[in-house]
Amino acid sequence: ITQLKLPLEEPERHRRLDQWWPDIVLALTHARYASNDPESDMLVPLTSELDTILRWYWLPRKTDPNDNWARGAFGSYEARNKTVYHDPFLSLTTKFGLCRYVDSQLPRTYKGGQPLLSYAIEFLISRRHTIYPLSSPLLVSTILHHGADPNQSYTALSPRRETTPWLEALECLREAHRRGWMEYYCIDPERTARWVQILRLFLEH
């Protein structure tokens, strides 16, 4: 945040998200680890401050009232251009697993687009190398506690189709089974036990 506030050169407002993306990833990854520290009371205000700074840097389109820097983190321009994002920064912090920040921002009125619950389970079972963490039972539980519905229908971004968080979870299971990622006798709490716990939460709701 300090690096963004005090750059070595004169700050320039523009629409090139890739210029700030490494700093965004670093900041939100640090925030995820900091969220494990119950004494870290600065997590929520600092995360909000990151969004405020990037809103200042971002040069919005005057013709688009919903234009937001965080939309650039989701899919291709062509796909994003036809998709509703009622709160792209909150969606992005959900993908990064910032449970305490997400909890502090809910409940919010859902205004269309992909629900937070679907972002929270994008990496239910995965062995792909990515900047995003594996889905967290605590985060899923937090979102469900605030009234999220596993059967809420929405239009997925890619490929475009009608689906629900529950159907997306089942699709993750099918792919994991097909790829041989399921370890039925694994005792690591971060692996099989983790996604089983998330499925249990879905069934309970």
Side-chain angles (χ1 to χ4, degrees):
I1 290 172
T2 304
Q3 286 177 343
L4 287 167
K5 280 189 169 184
L6 302 172
L8 297 176
E9 300 176 357
E10 188 70 21
E12 176 191 358
R13 302 187 71 195
H14 56 71
R15 299 179 59 81
R16 299 185 300 276
L17 182 65
D18 58 335
Q19 184 171 326
W20 313 307
W21 187 241
D23 292 329
I24 294 167
V25 172
L26 191 62
L28 294 180
T29 300
H30 278 301
R32 182 172 76 251
Y33 286 111
S35 67
N36 295 325
D37 179 5
E39 303 299 320
S40 180
D41 56 356
M42 289 300 294
L43 175 72
V44 171
L46 283 175
T47 304
S48 295
E49 183 68 10
L50 176 68
D51 183 34
T52 299
I53 295 166
L54 290 164
R55 284 175 186 266
W56 181 89
Y57 270 103
W58 186 250
L59 199 60
R61 285 194 177 94
K62 294 180 181 179
T63 56
D64 185 357
N66 297 315
D67 193 22
N68 181 290
W69 69 266
R71 285 180 67 181
F74 300 96
S76 66
Y77 172 77
E78 291 76 17
R80 292 195 308 270
N81 202 33
K82 301 175 183 177
T83 304
V84 175
Y85 294 93
H86 80 276
D87 199 329
F89 182 62
L90 185 58
S91 299
L92 188 60
T93 56
T94 300
K95 286 190 70 168
F96 272 97
L98 272 61
C99 186
R100 282 172 57 193
Y101 179 79
V102 172
D103 186 35
S104 74
Q105 304 300 305
L106 292 176
R108 288 190 182 181
T109 303
Y110 179 74
K111 298 178 182 177
Q114 184 168 327
L116 290 183
L117 197 54
S118 283
Y119 288 115
I121 61 159
E122 270 191 37
F123 298 97
L124 182 64
I125 311 174
S126 179
R127 289 186 180 176
R128 296 188 179 98
H129 294 288
T130 173
I131 57 173
Y132 301 109
L134 291 171
S135 302
S136 159
L138 179 59
L139 179 58
V140 170
S141 176
T142 298
I143 295 172
L144 288 168
H145 174 75
H146 284 287
D149 180 6
N151 295 312
Q152 180 178 343
S153 180
Y154 69 97
T155 302
L157 186 61
S158 179
R160 294 187 71 82
R161 67 192 189 287
E162 284 299 308
T163 187
T164 68
W166 175 237
L167 290 175
E168 289 298 294
L170 294 178
E171 182 63 33
C172 285
L173 290 177
R174 185 167 67 174
E175 181 186 13
H177 183 265
R178 181 175 61 83
R179 291 177 177 268
W181 290 348
M182 290 184 169
E183 302 168 286
Y184 296 105
Y185 304 103
C186 175
I187 61 173
D188 185 340
E190 292 302 310
R191 292 164 79 172
T192 302
R194 177 190 53 77
W195 62 259
V196 166
Q197 187 178 350
I198 291 173
L199 289 178
R200 183 179 291 116
L201 287 167
F202 266 56
L203 288 169
E204 289 172 352
H205 285 79

